[in-house]
Amino acid sequence: MARRLPGEDGPNAMSHAHSGRNSHAVGKKRGQRIGVLVGMILALIAAAMYIGMMGQSGGDFRGDGNGNTVLAEIKPGSTLSEVGPSLVEKGVVSSNEAFQSAAATTPKAADIKPGFYKLQEKMSAQSAVEAFLNPENKVDLLKVPTGATLMDSKVVGGDTRFGIYSLVSSITCSVGDSCLSAEEIANVAATADPVSLGVPEWALEPVQKASGDPKRLEGLIEPGEYVVDPEASAEETLTQLISASAESFANTGIVDRAAAINLSPYELLTAASLVEREAPAGEFDKVARVILNRLAKPMRLEFDSTVNYGLDEQEVATTDEDRARETPWNTYAKDGLPATPIASPSIEAVTAMENPAPGNWLFFVTVDKDGTTVFNDTFEQHMADTQKAAESGVLDSNR
């Protein structure tokens, strides 16, 4: 009978075989668990590092920003929610979704007005919405008053009336380091291609003739409020203002209306600037008629406002010496209209020139401090009313 070798067969042999397989399976499972655990830990570490680098918590930045100012624009006709993607692009908020959620849960968000706002990089979505609601973060509108001039002007007594170039400069200097001086803006106005600036076709010839003169754009910027990008170039801002004004003038029918009163559109704009500076409220169309009647006679306009435009210091009543000075604008010393507008006329002044009141008036004078203005046909009547004005203190009889 053959002998069985030890470990070759029998119960003991089977027992050893099963024990080896079980140990291998248990070790394999433990290795798998350890591998999964290590993978999870590494994933958590990576996520934590990402959140730390981005300053995020739940897909949103934390806090009120990092101190770096960023301009954000809400365009006319748009809503706050529409600015979300641009805020993500500028690094203001982490995600459009977070910003949309914050805007949707802030009731006053619907009241935010168009304009430019100063925000910061890496703001939480809620902080960004609240920044839009804070009026201190809104960039001021450019406010061009009626009768404004392009250049600064001084009035007797030392006060300075800031011109449009200075007003634009103050807007650009309100944010960041992209500050434009009034001189830089004036230089662009004097030298840039008028066509590229948006000067209307009917004003191109006189503007081109005055190349190099920063006053050559006088009258072409309509008074009003403008949303101006503080970071835009001088040429971009001037183009925006002039183009918008040209469209507004066109909407009054300035080309056809000018022809109806035997003026060119540029002459009409120039006459409207005189109306703006000379006429009291409610009398624009009457002063427009006086201008047209004098031009038709022909008769010099003799407006003090045209004398003042060429002076270093301005005042209501000019002197005999000032009135004798020959300048391109002084209508005491020259026939016809000034060479250019002397101020920015309102649309009200433009439409008054387009639709002058009927009448034969050649003279007008304000006779009291309440603003009562008298219109006359004859020089004798005018002199009598001028005496009343002197007696009431409106005019200085010694000037």
Side-chain angles (χ1 to χ4, degrees), residues 117-137:
Y117 292 81
K118 292 176 282 188
L119 279 73
Q120 295 183 29
E121 293 177 345
K122 295 189 176 181
M123 305 181 79
S124 71
Q126 187 60 45
S127 292
V129 172
E130 290 172 359
F132 278 112
L133 290 168
N134 186 346
E136 293 184 3
N137 291 325

Side-chain angles (χ1 to χ4, degrees), residues 11 44 61 95 116 118 135 158 199 222 227 229 234 242 261 279 292 299 320 338-339 361 365 378:
L44 288 172
F61 290 132
S95 70
F116 284 88
K118 292 176 282 188
V199 172
E222 178 195 355
V227 176
D229 184 351
I242 293 170
I261 57 174
L292 292 174
M299 179 180 180
D320 290 338
W361 311 295
V365 63
T378 68

Side-chain angles (χ1 to χ4, degrees), residues 130-208:
E130 290 172 359
F132 278 112
L133 290 168
N134 186 346
E136 293 184 3
N137 291 325
K138 192 173 190 296
V139 176
D140 290 337
L141 295 174
L142 172 65
K143 298 178 181 178
V144 178
T146 55
T149 54
L150 293 172
M151 311 290 287
D152 295 349
S153 58
K154 292 183 178 180
V155 297
V156 173
D159 293 335
T160 298
R161 185 183 295 117
F162 292 108
I164 295 173
Y165 296 149
S166 288
L167 297 176
V168 172
S169 174
S170 68
I171 297 295
T172 70
C173 295
S174 66
V175 178
D177 301 321
S178 59
C179 187
L180 293 172
S181 68
E183 291 73 19
E184 289 176 287
I185 299 167
N187 182 60
V188 170
T191 59
D193 176 18
V195 175
S196 69
L197 291 177
V199 172
E201 185 176 353
W202 46 262
L204 280 176
E205 184 178 350
V207 170
Q208 288 168 334

Side-chain angles (χ1 to χ4, degrees), residues 240-287:
Q240 173 196 347
L241 300 177
I242 293 170
S243 298
S245 301
E247 182 178 355
S248 187
F249 295 144
N251 290 338
T252 71
I254 191 171
V255 173
D256 292 337
R257 293 305 304 160
I261 57 174
N262 297 316
L263 296 178
S264 71
Y266 189 73
E267 289 172 332
L268 189 153
L269 187 71
T270 301
S273 74
L274 303 185
V275 170
E276 190 66 62
R277 295 303 297 269
E278 292 278 346
E283 307 284 14
F284 278 24
D285 58 344
K286 288 184 178 181
V287 173

